[in-house]
Amino acid sequence: QQQVKQSPQSLIVQKGGISIINCAYENTAFDYFPWYQQFPGKGPALLIAIRPDVSEKKEGRFTISFNKSAKQFSLHIMDSQPGDSATYFCAASITSYDKVIFGPGTSLSVIP
Amino acid sequence: EAGVTQSPTHLIKTRGQQATLRCSPISGHTSVYWYQQALGLGLQFLLWYDEGEERNRGNFPPRFSGRQFPNYSSELNVNALELEDSALYLCASSFYYVDLNYGYTFGSGTRLTVV
């Protein structure tokens, strides 16, 4: 019930294309959904976050879509660039002051 | 502003030994979280400390323990090391509350190898 599922495990996208990563959860008590980006040799860094009262949030080329009834959310990276090549983790927590549960991650490679 | 610092960067231990990993949070952050990142398993929550107290614990055996000091730095101790403890151990810090703009700040991790 605490698990966050994520797919695909790996993704290869051409430069300029759209990268889409999907996540799903079971625990309806989750109310904070961040996405983290991790480059090799570095710790993850907060990319964008959303709460379930909003269906979509956009920051630059990154958009989170949230479907509360389906308990699913996704990250869209528009105009993907080679510099976006990294591992992306979706995550969730029950409250703003609880531990964050991470999905297994998606390794994104953007090829020229 | 200095980020989250972890030491050592790499640590090689023999099975059965003890390992101690250290973490210094960002100034002003009171919460420290420890995660294990094993190959292909994502980030598994280990421990959460805030104001010197253990707030939550993940599904790990008691030989994984830690503490938080008055200056909010933290250490993770792993006793009776097993080969499967080999992983990247990440420390993160935050304010007590996270929100849309302020999440965890992670260090670069300690790579623990058990031989």
Side-chain angles (χ1 to χ4, degrees):
Chain A
Q1 195 177 18
Q2 288 278 348
Q3 195 177 12
V4 176
K5 298 178 182 179
Q6 183 172 351
S7 63
Q9 184 175 354
S10 63
L11 182 61
I12 300 174
V13 173
Q14 283 212 309
K15 179 183 176 181
I18 302 173
S19 303
I20 302 174
I21 302 170
N22 299 300
C23 289
Y25 63 97
E26 289 295 324
N27 192 340
T28 55
F30 286 147
D31 76 343
Y32 172 68
F33 299 88
W35 285 85
Y36 280 77
Q37 179 188 54
Q38 184 180 27
F39 293 105
K42 300 290 186 181
L46 180 66
L47 185 63
I48 185 173
I50 196 169
R51 294 204 182 275
D53 54 344
V54 175
S55 61
E56 185 175 280
K57 181 176 180 179
K58 183 177 180 179
E59 288 186 1
R61 296 184 294 109
F62 299 90
T63 299
I64 301 177
S65 298
F66 193 90
N67 187 330
K68 188 174 180 179
S69 61
K71 292 184 286 186
Q72 295 175 346
F73 58 112
S74 61
L75 176 70
H76 290 64
I77 306 174
M78 312 300 288
D79 187 27
S80 298
Q81 299 296 313
D84 297 330
S85 297
T87 299
Y88 292 81
F89 295 94
C90 60
S93 72
I94 292 178
T95 67
S96 295
Y97 49 89
D98 196 5
K99 63 184 183 294
V100 173
I101 306 297
F102 287 83
T106 295
S107 177
L108 171 65
S109 296
V110 181
I111 56 175
Chain B
E1 177 185 297
V4 175
T5 57
Q6 292 187 244
S7 63
T9 305
H10 294 85
L11 189 58
I12 301 175
K13 291 287 187 178
T14 303
R15 191 172 59 177
Q17 285 187 316
Q18 178 196 41
T20 298
L21 288 63
R22 295 180 175 83
C23 173
S24 293
I26 285 179
S27 177
H29 285 180
T30 61
S31 282
V32 170
Y33 305 81
W34 288 94
Y35 285 82
Q36 182 194 66
Q37 187 173 24
L39 197 62
L41 293 180
L43 282 77
Q44 303 297 314
F45 170 73
L46 269 164
L47 289 158
W48 169 25
Y49 293 95
D50 183 80
E51 296 286 359
E53 301 287 331
E54 182 180 299
R55 300 295 184 183
N56 208 331
R57 182 181 182 85
N59 189 26
F60 280 83
R63 56 191 186 81
F64 287 84
S65 65
R67 54 179 171 167
Q68 186 179 35
F69 300 99
N71 66 353
Y72 302 112
S73 67
S74 175
E75 68 179 29
L76 173 69
N77 295 292
V78 188
N79 294 318
L81 284 165
E82 300 179 1
L83 296 178
E84 52 264 36
D85 296 334
S86 296
L88 180 68
Y89 289 83
L90 290 163
C91 169
S93 74
S94 75
F95 299 110
Y96 186 67
Y97 294 90
V98 292
D99 66 14
L100 297 178
N101 297 311
Y102 297 100
Y104 292 177
T105 301
F106 281 89
S108 294
T110 292
R111 173 70 63 185
L112 172 64
T113 302
V114 182
V115 298

